[in-house]
Amino acid sequence: MKKLVKIISVLIFLECCILATLLIVPIVSGKKVLIGHISGTQLTYGVITAIFILGIVLVIVRYGGSRCRKNLIIMIAVSVISTGALLGTCFLYLLFVAGSETYYTFYSPDGRYSVVAEERSWLLAGSVILYERTNPFLVEERARLLTDDGFRAISSEAYEIWWNDNVVTFTIETTNWDQPKDTAVVILSSIQSDIPFP
């Protein structure tokens, strides 16, 4: 029993270290965590969920076999509070984050350069953010294009992309009558072959 408590405690500590890294790296580097097409925000919520679940398991393992009434009350209270916090966090994640970000990677014709486009849509707001991948885990924002009415230009295939070596011109259609198109020109510096994976 004591071994299991130690193992769970170590796992919780490691999860907290990962969470701290996910929160600190973007602040220090000014870049966004993006592993493949999984964002740092999605990873953060996954780690928080794992910490809550491990915490509940730890309390049950530690105090579950106890016959002491005080320990039983502590176990029930921690389990109820942790479950409520977990459900609240999941609700907020689903309300504000889940499904609002979609990532696309576009490669230059010669395959030397790539640009990552993040498409966001929430209620009446929409945007396309262009990033340059600087390493396998981080991307750096290069341009921001706005749509209207939550329009998803890339998903709707309402975009154009032109390459000129390391310069990419990205144009999207918007639903804004005053400005039907929005264009960004991005100069990329990271050669794709220098980055281990996209």
Side-chain angles (χ1 to χ4, degrees):
M1 184 73 87
K2 288 183 181 181
K3 255 187 178 177
L4 185 58
V5 169
K6 285 182 182 179
I7 290 171
I8 294 172
S9 298
V10 168
L11 288 174
I12 290 174
F13 174 76
L14 291 174
E15 292 283 336
C16 288
C17 292
I18 292 169
L19 179 62
T21 303
L22 287 171
L23 295 174
I24 292 171
V25 167
I27 294 169
V28 172
S29 68
K31 298 177 182 178
K32 182 175 184 167
V33 175
L34 184 68
I35 302 172
H37 286 164
I38 301 172
S39 72
T41 307
Q42 294 166 330
L43 290 170
T44 300
Y45 278 102
V47 169
I48 289 171
T49 302
I51 289 171
F52 277 125
I53 291 171
L54 286 172
I56 292 169
V57 170
L58 178 65
V59 168
I60 290 171
V61 167
R62 174 71 176 91
Y63 298 109
S66 175
R67 299 206 191 276
C68 178
R69 184 176 172 89
K70 181 180 174 184
N71 288 344
L72 185 60
I73 292 171
I74 290 172
M75 180 187 77
I76 291 171
V78 168
S79 296
V80 167
I81 291 169
S82 296
T83 303
L86 176 63
L87 292 175
T89 302
C90 290
F91 173 75
L92 290 174
Y93 173 74
L94 290 172
L95 181 64
F96 293 108
V97 180
S100 68
E101 301 172 348
T102 307
Y103 294 92
Y104 302 91
T105 304
F106 299 97
Y107 296 95
S108 63
D110 60 6
R112 292 180 58 212
Y113 298 96
S114 69
V115 65
V116 177
E118 174 187 337
E119 186 175 51
R120 286 183 173 200
S121 177
W122 194 71
L123 295 179
L124 296 178
S127 66
V128 173
I129 305 169
L130 300 176
Y131 297 97
E132 178 178 6
R133 185 170 291 283
T134 56
N135 68 41
F137 307 108
L138 299 174
V139 291
E140 186 172 0
E141 185 176 331
R142 294 294 185 187
R144 187 177 291 254
L145 305 167
L146 299 176
T147 64
D148 199 10
D149 296 331
F151 180 61
R152 291 182 172 266
I154 299 174
S155 298
S156 302
E157 296 184 9
Y159 69 92
E160 295 173 348
I161 186 168
W162 298 278
W163 291 90
N164 184 6
D165 195 30
N166 67 328
V167 178
V168 61
T169 304
F170 202 90
T171 301
I172 61 168
E173 292 180 17
T174 69
T175 54
N176 187 342
W177 292 53
D178 297 333
Q179 183 182 359
K181 292 191 176 199
D182 199 1
T183 301
V185 177
V186 178
I187 300 172
L188 303 170
S189 58
S190 298
I191 297 177
Q192 187 62 37
S193 61
D194 297 339
I195 302 172
F197 67 87

